[in-house]
């Protein structure tokens, strides 16, 4: 359960909440006078802000390219799908678990979707193929080629 915390957000672009409301993540800017950011620099911080529900945990900040945010159904991962890549962060330490590059010159951001049990992650963009990744070992499971609409094993 999220505890009341004053957040002086200047601008929020994307956001998502982890299952059980354990974490709230957003891309945007925060005002330097925000008490949650007192351990950050004194300037406005633009990037990924991760706010814990538990006030004993430390808020996190990552300078990442803005993109769509999606927590996995079990809350173990946060997928950030942007123009150049989909970055998967582990919620246990907020380090990168997997980086899935986008190979398209398309300027649209990638999209991602978790399976209901969190065992698979679909990542795609524009006319590029959609790739399905197993989260147990981060191997590509299959590929959906959007122009010919065929699903093929990886």
């Amino acid at each position: 359960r999220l505890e009341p915390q004053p957040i002086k957000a200047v601008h929020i672009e994307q956001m998502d909440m982890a299952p059980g409301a354990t974490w709230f993540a957003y891309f945007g800017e925060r005002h330097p006078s925000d008490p949650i950011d007192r351990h950050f620099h004194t300037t406005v911080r633009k990037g990924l802000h991760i706010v814990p529900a538990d006030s004993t945990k430390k808020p996190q900040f990552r300078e990442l390219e803005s993109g769509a945010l999606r927590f996995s159904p079990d809350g173990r991962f946060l997928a950030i799908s942007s123009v150049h890549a989909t970055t998967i962060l582990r919620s246990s330490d907020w380090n990168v678990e997997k980086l899935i590059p986008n190979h398209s010159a398309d300027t649209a951001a990638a999209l991602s979707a978790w399976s209901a049990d969190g065992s698979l992650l679909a990542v795609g963009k524009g006319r590029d193929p959609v790739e399905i990744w197993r989260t147990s070992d981060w191997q590509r499971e299959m590929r959906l080629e959007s122009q010919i609409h065929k699903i093929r094993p990886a």
Side-chain angles (χ1 to χ4, degrees):
R1 184 172 185 198
L2 285 172
E3 296 175 9
Q5 297 184 38
I7 298 174
K8 295 181 181 178
V10 177
H11 178 74
I12 293 177
E13 297 171 10
Q14 295 282 335
M15 65 181 164
D16 196 23
M17 187 175 295
T22 53
W23 294 94
F24 175 71
Y26 72 91
F27 268 107
E29 300 172 346
R30 277 173 89 177
H31 195 273
S33 67
D34 188 336
I36 292 175
D37 270 345
R38 62 183 164 267
H39 58 280
F40 295 141
H41 299 288
T42 56
T43 58
V44 170
R45 302 286 288 176
K46 184 171 182 167
L48 174 64
H49 299 267
I50 307 166
V51 181
D54 180 349
S55 61
T56 64
K57 292 183 180 176
K58 191 174 169 182
Q60 301 291 313
F61 175 79
R62 298 288 183 273
E63 289 184 7
L64 295 171
E65 181 180 28
S66 180
L69 300 172
R70 299 286 179 269
F71 276 99
S72 63
D74 59 8
R76 290 186 321 137
F77 301 111
L78 175 62
I80 303 134
S81 298
S82 65
V83 172
H84 297 102
T86 295
T87 304
I88 314 300
L89 301 180
R90 289 185 303 272
S91 63
S92 60
D93 59 10
W94 299 111
N95 287 320
V96 175
E97 171 79 8
K98 177 74 176 170
L99 182 67
I100 303 169
N102 298 335
H103 301 289
S104 171
D106 187 346
T107 58
L111 300 172
S112 62
W114 296 95
S115 63
D117 64 0
S119 66
L120 299 172
L121 175 67
V123 176
K125 165 178 166 166
R127 293 178 186 223
D128 290 350
V130 173
E131 296 179 332
I132 312 291
W133 296 82
R134 283 191 311 265
T135 60
S136 60
D137 58 6
W138 293 106
Q139 294 299 308
R140 192 172 66 196
E141 177 91 2
M142 65 182 75
R143 182 179 172 109
L144 169 63
E145 296 184 17
S146 59
Q147 292 180 353
I148 57 174
H149 305 291
K150 291 184 180 179
I151 297 177
R152 298 181 182 173

